[in-house]
Amino acid sequence: MAQGSWRRSAVLSSLAGAALSVLGTGLALGIPGAFVLIFAAPLISVIYGVGEANLFPSDSAWPFMLFLTLLMGPLVPALWLGTRRMGLSGWRRAFWMTGGMMLGSTLLAVGLYAISVGPSLR
């Protein structure tokens, strides 16, 4: 791999991650975070022993999803450069990017819940 193409890939993936953070938080109003919460809610419910209806006390769901969307941005360049480093291309790269975003975002949601909402449940 040429150094210039690696640098270009790093810059473009970082811009894509920044766009996800800014546009997903501002224009999409946290909808990417809400999508991730679909996968993370059952795991959070099992860990904290609360039903999915009582997952967020006193309207804390929307700020949670906004902040989660903001935190998802750095996953894009990390995964993009990781799949590039592994030499993946085409559908294999798309598959690993999608799976990595789902897994990474779900783990981010569980960690953010543990830090922000979880202590208020006790």
Side-chain angles (χ1 to χ4, degrees):
M1 281 180 240
Q3 182 66 20
S5 63
W6 181 264
R7 186 174 296 127
R8 181 175 183 262
S9 184
V11 168
L12 291 177
S13 63
S14 296
L15 290 175
L20 172 66
S21 290
V22 172
L23 298 176
T25 304
L27 293 178
L29 299 174
I31 290 176
F35 180 72
V36 169
L37 200 57
I38 292 170
F39 300 104
L43 183 60
I44 292 171
S45 293
V46 168
I47 292 172
Y48 284 92
V50 294
E52 290 185 27
N54 300 325
L55 205 56
F56 292 99
S58 66
D59 293 332
S60 61
W62 190 40
F64 180 84
M65 289 183 266
L66 286 170
F67 195 57
L68 179 60
T69 303
L70 187 68
L71 292 178
M72 285 168 47
L75 286 176
V76 175
L79 290 168
W80 184 260
L81 294 174
T83 56
R84 180 183 170 104
R85 182 86 166 156
M86 292 178 358
L88 300 175
S89 63
W91 67 270
R92 287 182 181 95
R93 189 177 209 172
F95 174 77
W96 284 104
M97 277 290 299
T98 304
M101 283 298 292
M102 288 176 62
L103 179 64
S105 298
T106 301
L107 292 176
L108 267 175
V110 171
L112 182 61
Y113 192 88
I115 292 170
S116 61
V117 181
S120 68
L121 296 176
R122 296 182 181 152

PDB file of all heavy atoms in Angstrom, residues 23 31 34 44 63 68 104-105:
ATOM      1  N   LEU A  23     -23.642  15.189  12.201  1.00  0.00           N
ATOM      2  CA  LEU A  23     -24.941  15.127  11.538  1.00  0.00           C
ATOM      3  C   LEU A  23     -25.897  14.176  12.238  1.00  0.00           C
ATOM      4  O   LEU A  23     -27.102  14.433  12.287  1.00  0.00           O
ATOM      5  CB  LEU A  23     -24.772  14.731  10.071  1.00  0.00           C
ATOM      6  CG  LEU A  23     -23.959  15.703   9.219  1.00  0.00           C
ATOM      7  CD1 LEU A  23     -23.782  15.159   7.811  1.00  0.00           C
ATOM      8  CD2 LEU A  23     -24.609  17.066   9.188  1.00  0.00           C
ATOM      9  N   ILE A  31     -30.945   9.529  16.021  1.00  0.00           N
ATOM     10  CA  ILE A  31     -31.550   8.311  15.472  1.00  0.00           C
ATOM     11  C   ILE A  31     -30.535   7.175  15.317  1.00  0.00           C
ATOM     12  O   ILE A  31     -30.878   6.025  15.580  1.00  0.00           O
ATOM     13  CB  ILE A  31     -32.294   8.616  14.159  1.00  0.00           C
ATOM     14  CG1 ILE A  31     -33.540   9.441  14.493  1.00  0.00           C
ATOM     15  CG2 ILE A  31     -32.687   7.347  13.435  1.00  0.00           C
ATOM     16  CD1 ILE A  31     -34.328   9.905  13.305  1.00  0.00           C
ATOM     17  N   ALA A  34     -30.471   5.601  18.588  1.00  0.00           N
ATOM     18  CA  ALA A  34     -31.706   4.854  18.835  1.00  0.00           C
ATOM     19  C   ALA A  34     -31.665   3.503  18.133  1.00  0.00           C
ATOM     20  O   ALA A  34     -32.123   2.494  18.676  1.00  0.00           O
ATOM     21  CB  ALA A  34     -32.910   5.660  18.357  1.00  0.00           C
ATOM     22  N   ILE A  44     -28.673  -4.704  28.113  1.00  0.00           N
ATOM     23  CA  ILE A  44     -28.722  -3.825  29.285  1.00  0.00           C
ATOM     24  C   ILE A  44     -29.773  -4.318  30.271  1.00  0.00           C
ATOM     25  O   ILE A  44     -29.567  -4.298  31.483  1.00  0.00           O
ATOM     26  CB  ILE A  44     -28.986  -2.369  28.851  1.00  0.00           C
ATOM     27  CG1 ILE A  44     -27.789  -1.818  28.078  1.00  0.00           C
ATOM     28  CG2 ILE A  44     -29.286  -1.487  30.050  1.00  0.00           C
ATOM     29  CD1 ILE A  44     -28.027  -0.482  27.421  1.00  0.00           C
ATOM     30  N   PRO A  63     -31.346  12.197  25.599  1.00  0.00           N
ATOM     31  CA  PRO A  63     -29.950  12.636  25.774  1.00  0.00           C
ATOM     32  C   PRO A  63     -28.956  11.486  25.670  1.00  0.00           C
ATOM     33  O   PRO A  63     -27.855  11.658  25.148  1.00  0.00           O
ATOM     34  CB  PRO A  63     -29.935  13.257  27.173  1.00  0.00           C
ATOM     35  CG  PRO A  63     -31.331  13.596  27.467  1.00  0.00           C
ATOM     36  CD  PRO A  63     -32.176  12.616  26.720  1.00  0.00           C
ATOM     37  N   LEU A  68     -24.682   8.936  22.660  1.00  0.00           N
ATOM     38  CA  LEU A  68     -24.214   7.697  22.043  1.00  0.00           C
ATOM     39  C   LEU A  68     -23.885   7.914  20.568  1.00  0.00           C
ATOM     40  O   LEU A  68     -22.860   7.438  20.073  1.00  0.00           O
ATOM     41  CB  LEU A  68     -25.256   6.593  22.198  1.00  0.00           C
ATOM     42  CG  LEU A  68     -24.919   5.237  21.592  1.00  0.00           C
ATOM     43  CD1 LEU A  68     -23.656   4.674  22.210  1.00  0.00           C
ATOM     44  CD2 LEU A  68     -26.078   4.281  21.786  1.00  0.00           C
ATOM     45  N   GLY A 104     -19.318  -2.694  18.168  1.00  0.00           N
ATOM     46  CA  GLY A 104     -18.684  -1.575  18.871  1.00  0.00           C
ATOM     47  C   GLY A 104     -19.698  -0.598  19.446  1.00  0.00           C
ATOM     48  O   GLY A 104     -19.555  -0.127  20.578  1.00  0.00           O
ATOM     49  N   SER A 105     -20.734  -0.303  18.684  1.00  0.00           N
ATOM     50  CA  SER A 105     -21.760   0.625  19.159  1.00  0.00           C
ATOM     51  C   SER A 105     -22.559   0.019  20.308  1.00  0.00           C
ATOM     52  O   SER A 105     -22.924   0.725  21.247  1.00  0.00           O
ATOM     53  CB  SER A 105     -22.698   1.000  18.018  1.00  0.00           C
ATOM     54  OG  SER A 105     -21.990   1.653  16.994  1.00  0.00           O
TER      55      SER A 105
END
